Amino acid sequence: MVFVRAILLSFISLAVASPLQNLVLHEKMNAIPDGFAHNGPAAASTTLNLRINLASNNMAGLEDALFAVSTPDSAQYGQHLTKEEVEAFVAPKPDTVAAVNSFLSANGLTAQTISPAGDWLSVSMPVSKANDLFGAQFSVFTNQANGQQAIRTMEYSIPASLVGHVELVHPTVTFPATFGAPKFTSPGVQAPSTATALVGDAVPASCATTVTPSCLQALYGIPTTRATQSSNKLGVSGFIDQFAQNADLQTFLRAQRPDLVNTTFALQTLDGGSNPQAAKDAGIEANLDIQYTIGVASGVPTTFISVGDDFQDGDLEGFLDIINFLLGEAAPPQVLTTSYGQNENTISRALANQLCNAYMQLGARGTSILFASGDGGVAGSQTTSCKTFLPTFPSGCPFMTSVGATTGIAPEVAASFSSGGFSNFFARPSYQNSVVSSFLTKLGSTNSGKFNVSGRGFPDVSAQGVNVEIVSGGETGTVDGTSCASPIFASVVSLLNDRLIAAGKSPLGFLNPFLYSAAGSAALTDVTSGTNPGCNTNGFSAGAGWDPVTGLGTPNFAKLLTAVGL
Ligand SMILES: *[C@@H]1O[C@H](CO)[C@@H](O)[C@H](O)[C@H]1NC(C)=O
Ligand SMILES: *[C@@H]1O[C@H](CO)[C@@H](O)[C@H](O)[C@H]1NC(C)=O
């Protein structure tokens, strides 16, 4: 393995050194990612469908605009940008377009624009041409876990004329991710628990062992009254052929929310996506996500967005495509929840940056973007061997809200699998500077050298994620995971948006500047015990204030209403 790698790298050095091409090294992987084997050069005639990301004319300006509309004490708070305003920041400059067009036409290539702002192009060419143009050595790599092959290169260059105009070429150095879905921990037919009548704020004792919508309503004070605003939308992302079943949803509602029976979801598809309804097609993740949005965000119009397998984003499983799809809409959902992710070290820094910039764009439009933080504790999205902690993507991106998991009711404690930590790609954003500094001071030298002290800390918030009851394929069972927590927190945000819209106010949009404000953090219940072990350590500990296990804490609906000014 080491020998193969050494040969591969020496070939690449020769290609890059070629004086004729005037190439500049752009991205490089130092080692083949764990779990992949190198199987020799890719056939010269194989067609590669490459994506090229062009430099935007003013991404820094968009970031300023995002914070201006998302920071509660700003004069522009709530004045989210239009599609055209966002595109004006993101579009490449004319000289960038000219440089890239001249490169393409000189090489007999035609590109298609695949994003609304024109910052992403798609272009096809044979491996031989891609090797020449980008000083690459495209090779076949096999994922040893599932046998799937991918054509990648350990490094690539770009012509000197494109430096400053091209952010990245993909897929090149980013290897296909392994996406996780939660395990159905108690499969088998069992009687569904039924909704418990609640008295005041009492949380039923059964919630300590089985979490249902009633438990969440009691624990977080989430209202059961129906939302009233039809313009308010909650989007639920679906990937990897995980399908949401209406029949399972109705079985779930009959047991848990009889008042909501017959409520269903709208469907949007992209990349050839679908949502087949045969019992065998039931997806545990998709059912969980749809049952804990519709069953919690009472009456909020909910859309299942099913991303198919014809990705335009090059083995990113549609992760980029879904954002570009929503950016193309006149009225994207005000909340988007996603319970998929990957380890940050499986994605190139340049690609992570551009995906994060896509979240920035959608946030500026007024969408709250929530993701599950991952289920491997400090070891990342799945438990692997590790010497240093593995942050997850996109939780390290500062323009989204990462949701960790808790368990128990009196009090809630951190779920031991709740991923949290510090990004190696994204620096700590100012909104969390003070609470993260306090955490690091209290931490002292614990875990020193195992994480990046200057990185963006995550998760931001948390919600229940253990023994959550769902129905899938006609069977009732429970699931564990931060996959439970993200739709639950997203539902709370959607219900707040319903009240805000009804009061003639703007929806919350990008949440973090609000959540980390004094008013926002005071409206969350701090979770102060539990740890997220991994990598042969005890991980981090939850404690008073923000921590990289449960973030700022879990929602308190009444306090949040006050904090948003209602
Ligand atoms: C749900 O829809 C079915 C079929 O249309 C109908 O028979 C039933 O009464 C409805 N239930 C509720 C609670 O609305
Ligand atoms: C640590 O994080 C910063 C971003 O804050 C990044 O620039 C740096 O490369 C990271 N260090 C390592 C070793 O990954």
Side-chain angles (χ1 to χ4, degrees):
M1 181 81 141
V2 172
F3 180 66
V4 169
R5 200 178 300 165
I7 287 178
L8 176 68
L9 292 178
S10 65
F11 267 119
I12 290 165
S13 310
L14 285 176
V16 173
S18 163
L20 298 174
Q21 303 191 30
N22 197 16
L23 291 172
V24 179
L25 179 65
H26 197 66
E27 287 197 276
K28 175 176 160 72
M29 291 287 278
N30 291 319
I32 297 172
D34 286 348
F36 284 89
H38 177 240
N39 301 117
S45 61
T46 303
T47 300
L48 293 179
N49 298 311
L50 297 175
R51 284 84 189 161
I52 301 178
N53 182 247
L54 307 186
S56 291
N57 76 79
N58 191 6
M59 207 57 97
L62 180 61
E63 183 172 344
D64 290 344
L66 171 72
F67 280 99
V69 300
S70 312
T71 305
D73 59 9
S74 148
Q76 284 94 48
Y77 184 61
Q79 296 170 27
H80 300 122
L81 279 65
T82 64
K83 181 172 183 289
E84 292 69 29
E85 285 168 339
V86 167
E87 288 169 8
F89 284 109
V90 178
K93 284 185 190 157
D95 63 328
T96 292
V97 174
V100 172
N101 281 343
S102 111
F103 164 76
L104 292 171
S105 61
N107 291 290
L109 298 167
T110 316
Q112 258 124 41
T113 300
I114 57 165
S115 65
D119 56 329
W120 283 96
L121 303 180
S122 163
V123 59
S124 298
M125 66 190 79
V127 162
S128 53
K129 188 158 200 160
N131 281 341
D132 285 350
L133 294 182
F134 299 112
Q137 178 78 17
F138 279 97
S139 301
V140 178
F141 294 90
T142 304
N143 182 333
Q144 289 160 307
N146 59 20
Q148 279 173 10
Q149 295 195 322
I151 297 179
R152 293 293 188 273
T153 177
M154 294 298 288
E155 64 178 53
Y156 69 95
S157 299
I158 59 173
S161 64
L162 295 185
V163 172
H165 297 304
V166 164
E167 297 282 4
L168 65 100
V169 181
H170 172 79
T172 51
V173 296
T174 291
F175 283 58
T178 314
F179 270 49
K183 300 256 182 317
F184 207 23
T185 48
S186 314
V189 181
Q190 72 184 54
S193 66
T194 47
T196 317
L198 299 171
V199 183
D201 283 329
V203 181
S206 64
C207 298
T209 49
T210 307
V211 175
T212 62
S214 307
C215 297
L216 302 169
Q217 286 150 5
L219 194 56
Y220 301 145
I222 301 172
T224 57
T225 46
R226 282 183 195 234
T228 59
Q229 301 302 303
S230 60
S231 68
N232 189 28
K233 283 189 286 174
L234 170 51
V236 176
S237 315
F239 297 97
I240 57 171
D241 295 332
Q242 280 273 329
F243 304 121
Q245 300 297 111
N246 191 46
D248 286 337
L249 173 64
Q250 298 312 320
T251 305
F252 177 79
L253 293 176
R254 276 194 295 276
Q256 304 301 337
R257 292 300 308 268
D259 55 323
L260 295 181
V261 166
N262 291 347
T263 307
T264 188
F265 51 90
L267 175 69
Q268 285 188 312
T269 61
L270 64 144
D271 288 351
S274 61
N275 195 36
Q277 293 296 303
K280 69 173 172 50
D281 295 316
I284 290 163
E285 178 67 72
N287 277 338
L288 162 64
D289 299 349
I290 213 71
Q291 288 166 24
Y292 279 80
T293 44
I294 289 181
V296 178
S298 308
V300 173
T302 300
T303 303
F304 182 64
I305 308 168
S306 182
V307 184
D309 298 329
D310 307 336
F311 327 123
Q312 302 306 304
D313 58 13
D315 289 341
L316 283 175
E317 303 282 347
F319 243 51
L320 171 65
D321 290 344
I322 190 172
I323 304 301
N324 279 328
F325 173 80
L326 296 175
L327 285 169
E329 294 188 331
Q334 292 89 342
V335 177
L336 177 67
T337 177
T338 306
S339 289
Y340 301 84
Q342 62 196 82
N343 286 341
E344 194 181 71
N345 67 356
T346 63
I347 189 166
S348 88
R349 188 182 283 255
L351 184 58
N353 257 320
Q354 296 314 320
L355 279 164
C356 185
N357 285 344
Y359 302 135
M360 189 208 297
Q361 296 172 51
L362 200 54
R365 296 280 305 278
T367 300
S368 303
I369 301 173
L370 298 95
F371 276 84
S373 71
D375 295 344
V378 290
S381 72
Q382 55 269 330
T383 312
T384 48
S385 63
C386 39
K387 291 198 186 67
T388 55
F389 297 168
L390 297 176
T392 56
F393 183 85
S395 284
C397 168
F399 309 126
M400 50 66 74
T401 300
S402 171
V403 189
T406 63
T407 183
I409 53 175
E412 287 184 82
V413 302
S416 62
F417 55 75
S418 184
S419 285
F422 299 84
S423 173
N424 288 316
F425 288 169
F426 300 98
R428 187 192 309 157
S430 60
Y431 59 73
Q432 63 171 203
N433 202 26
S434 133
V435 293
V436 172
S437 304
S438 304
F439 172 81
L440 291 172
T441 303
K442 279 183 284 179
L443 184 67
S445 61
T446 305
N447 297 326
S448 164
K450 295 196 177 290
F451 69 97
N452 191 327
V453 291
S454 68
R456 182 261 209 260
F458 70 96
D460 301 298
V461 290
S462 49
Q464 290 277 313
V466 177
N467 293 327
V468 174
E469 184 168 303
I470 67 163
V471 177
S472 197
E475 297 185 352
T476 298
T478 61
V479 289
D480 295 346
T482 53
S483 286
C484 308
S486 184
I488 292 168
F489 203 95
S491 295
V492 169
V493 177
S494 280
L495 289 170
L496 292 169
N497 281 343
D498 177 70
R499 308 279 181 106
L500 285 165
I501 294 167
K505 300 186 176 195
S506 294
L508 292 168
F510 172 46
L511 296 168
N512 296 6
F514 161 68
L515 293 172
Y516 285 86
S517 71
S521 51
L524 298 164
T525 304
D526 195 6
V527 176
T528 58
S529 65
T531 59
N532 57 355
C535 307
N536 292 315
T537 73
N538 294 328
F540 294 111
S541 297
W546 179 88
D547 52 70
V549 193
T550 60
L552 296 163
T554 59
N556 178 314
F557 194 82
K559 290 185 181 175
L560 282 164
L561 270 183
T562 307
V564 301
L566 291 173

